[in-house]
Amino acid sequence: MTSVPHKLHPTLQDMRPSATLAIQERCRVLEAEGRSVCRLGLGQSPFPVPERVVAALIAHAHEKDYLPVRGLPALRQAVAAHHRRTQGLQIEAEDVLIGPGSKELLFGLQLAYDAELILPAPSWVSYAPQARLLGRRVRWIPTDPEQGWRLQPEALAAAWPVGRGPGLLVLNSPNNPVGHSYDAEHLAAIAAVARERGLLVLSDEIYGALHHQGGHATIAAAYPEGTLISSGLSKWCGAGGWRLGTLAGPPQLRWLLDAMAVVASETYTSVSAPIQHAAVVAYTDHPDLRSYLHRSRLVLRALGGWAAGRLRGAGCRCPEPEGAFYLLCDLSPALGSAPISGARLCTSLLDELQIAVLPGSDFGLPPSDPVIRIALVDFDGAAALAAAHDGPIDEAFLRRHCGRVVEGIERLVGWLRAGG
Ligand code: PMP
Ligand code: GLU
């Protein structure tokens, strides 16, 4: 008898499961052992899927056929119309691709476009490992915490001289892990550098609708011919587990979507039919959806502002979040001279305080930096949304409806005050 040889593809040899999903698994194990963990590691929406979208999914449960590779035509129409209505972009249904999560679409894009990946540090956990899986190089561009960890156009220009060759810049606003966003002026300055160098920009706008003031700006407004926009249902619609993502661009980049459709046709075929039918309803303007989004933003804004304020009060460097549900927090001013890596810090926080968070190194920051990402999501979003109908969203509201997050932040602040 010959046993199956342990032969992995070389790129996979020292890769591990994605940090966001691994921390969630760790929380499950600890909870099974009877520990009470504040789950501030994986970033998933605390809010339920809006009722009318759930109703549409139920109504379409019988849909059983494979759908076209690029997506249900009515959904591609609805997504294009959504970009036109909310962003004033000239996007047509032919230039929309539907995929099983924007993560898979990003991977398909990196597979199809033969270029080096350009990432501001910090950036979301999966962009760089996807490049690695494909054997692509990554050019990390440092950012300054004093400038809210935002990519500066000068830094991009310096890192990527004109003529260096094809590059794919991923820009994520509102941002995971920092919670910041980019305004139109800043985006126009980055767009000018990208255009001069012929860079392809992937504008990751998965948190666009969760800009806390409803003020999301897109780089596609300044650089339409070179920008693809990724988004989906996972964050604003609370449907991460439904796995539906969108990619949209200008006619000039249709060749790239064509190539991605080839990849899709040989890999996942198409996204689940009932989910696509339900997504048509999610992308169709309705007062219920507007109210849902409005209340989601109010809760996230109040919670983000409160948590950042508490951490700054304890001596941390932590910019005020402007969108999404994350904080990036540099603990070095609070910890003083005792050097501790982000990863060790996270282990201590989990073991001693039962708070699950992720180290900045998972997002491309130096491992020695005591920086953590906090996902402000461990609360009952349905109850919070219902209560947001009728009252001020003040500290009392947060203590009542976002209790686990408040508890986690207070444990952390208490620990820092006691000397860490
Ligand atoms: N981009 C960012 C910045 C994210 O945080 C996530 C996390 N879900 C994704 C993309 C992927 O989202 P999905 O695959 O659920 O669309
Ligand atoms: N985007 C989420 C996060 O950053 C988790 C989902 C994922 O990584 O696929 O925590």
Side-chain angles (χ1 to χ4, degrees):
M1 201 174 68
T2 314
S3 58
V4 177
H6 284 224
K7 193 99 181 82
L8 272 183
H9 191 278
T11 54
L12 274 167
Q13 239 129 41
D14 54 356
M15 288 188 72
R16 280 180 294 164
S18 191
T20 51
L21 302 163
I23 188 78
Q24 193 74 342
E25 284 307 313
R26 180 102 184 88
C27 289
R28 280 194 194 109
V29 170
L30 290 172
E31 284 168 358
E33 289 167 3
R35 299 226 256 152
S36 154
V37 182
C38 287
R39 292 185 177 216
L40 313 182
L42 176 80
Q44 70 173 332
S45 169
F47 303 118
V49 179
E51 272 167 31
R52 52 186 292 104
V53 182
V54 173
L57 180 61
I58 293 169
H60 286 94
H62 61 279
E63 299 286 351
K64 60 170 230 349
D65 289 342
Y66 292 117
L67 291 180
V69 170
R70 291 168 199 244
L72 182 70
L75 177 57
R76 295 172 73 205
Q77 289 283 0
V79 171
H82 180 83
H83 282 292
R84 291 196 296 268
R85 187 175 65 246
T86 60
Q87 301 183 301
L89 299 172
Q90 276 319 304
I91 302 236
E92 302 302 329
E94 302 81 74
D95 298 308
V96 171
L97 201 60
I98 307 299
S102 63
K103 193 177 198 170
E104 186 65 28
L105 289 168
L106 287 164
F107 187 65
L109 177 63
Q110 289 207 56
L111 181 74
Y113 191 53
D114 192 2
E116 205 170 326
L117 183 66
I118 308 169
L119 295 177
S123 277
W124 176 52
V125 292
S126 287
Y127 307 132
Q130 288 189 347
R132 190 156 164 212
L133 284 171
L134 293 165
R136 297 284 155 72
R137 283 160 41 130
V138 181
R139 181 93 176 92
W140 285 98
I141 306 186
T143 62
D144 184 349
E146 294 298 333
Q147 294 172 317
W149 282 288
R150 281 187 192 79
L151 174 68
Q152 300 302 318
E154 303 76 24
L156 175 62
W160 202 271
V162 174
R164 184 176 162 127
L168 168 59
L169 169 68
V170 178
L171 198 67
N172 171 221
S173 176
N175 185 264
N176 177 6
V178 186
H180 65 219
S181 68
Y182 289 79
D183 63 25
E185 200 184 328
H186 195 135
L187 292 172
I190 294 175
V193 177
R195 177 179 284 121
E196 204 181 8
R197 286 151 178 77
L199 298 179
L200 175 67
V201 176
L202 185 280
S203 183
D204 181 343
E205 302 185 16
I206 191 93
Y207 301 100
L210 293 182
H211 187 286
H212 295 168
Q213 316 260 23
H216 172 58
T218 175
I219 193 169
Y223 187 35
E225 75 280 16
T227 302
L228 291 171
I229 300 175
S230 61
S231 192
L233 293 184
S234 299
K235 309 299 172 176
W236 75 266
C237 194
W242 286 22
R243 309 308 301 129
L244 185 132
T246 65
L247 191 75
Q252 291 95 322
L253 296 176
R254 204 169 281 173
W255 56 273
L256 199 43
L257 265 54
D258 290 346
M260 289 179 64
V262 173
V263 177
S265 74
E266 299 291 14
T267 50
Y268 57 81
T269 305
S270 59
V271 174
S272 151
I275 299 288
Q276 292 205 53
H277 283 277
V280 175
V281 173
Y283 279 104
T284 305
D285 190 29
H286 190 278
D288 289 359
L289 295 178
R290 268 182 263 139
S291 162
Y292 168 92
L293 258 184
H294 177 67
R295 284 175 289 131
S296 306
R297 289 173 185 151
L298 287 179
V299 173
L300 294 177
R301 180 176 163 196
L303 185 59
W306 175 84
R310 292 285 289 158
L311 290 163
R312 281 198 300 266
C316 302
R317 176 156 53 184
C318 181
E320 190 83 359
E322 298 167 329
F325 30 68
Y326 304 106
L327 294 181
L328 195 67
C329 188
D330 178 3
L331 275 66
S332 46
L335 291 172
S337 54
I340 178 164
S341 74
R344 268 199 39 219
L345 187 58
C346 289
T347 306
S348 302
L349 294 179
L350 191 54
D351 292 346
E352 294 173 31
L353 305 181
Q354 277 88 55
I355 305 173
V357 291
L358 290 173
S361 51
D362 285 339
F363 300 83
L365 291 176
S368 55
D369 291 359
V371 174
I372 57 173
R373 187 199 75 168
I374 307 175
L376 303 168
V377 297
D378 191 356
F379 63 93
D380 180 348
L385 273 193
H389 267 302
D390 26 63
I393 305 192
D394 51 15
E395 188 165 337
F397 177 102
L398 298 176
R399 286 187 187 280
R400 186 164 329 121
H401 298 293
C402 308
R404 297 285 295 164
V405 174
V406 169
E407 189 186 322
I409 298 293
E410 298 218 304
R411 268 189 224 167
L412 178 54
V413 165
W415 182 80
L416 286 168
R417 293 230 157 98

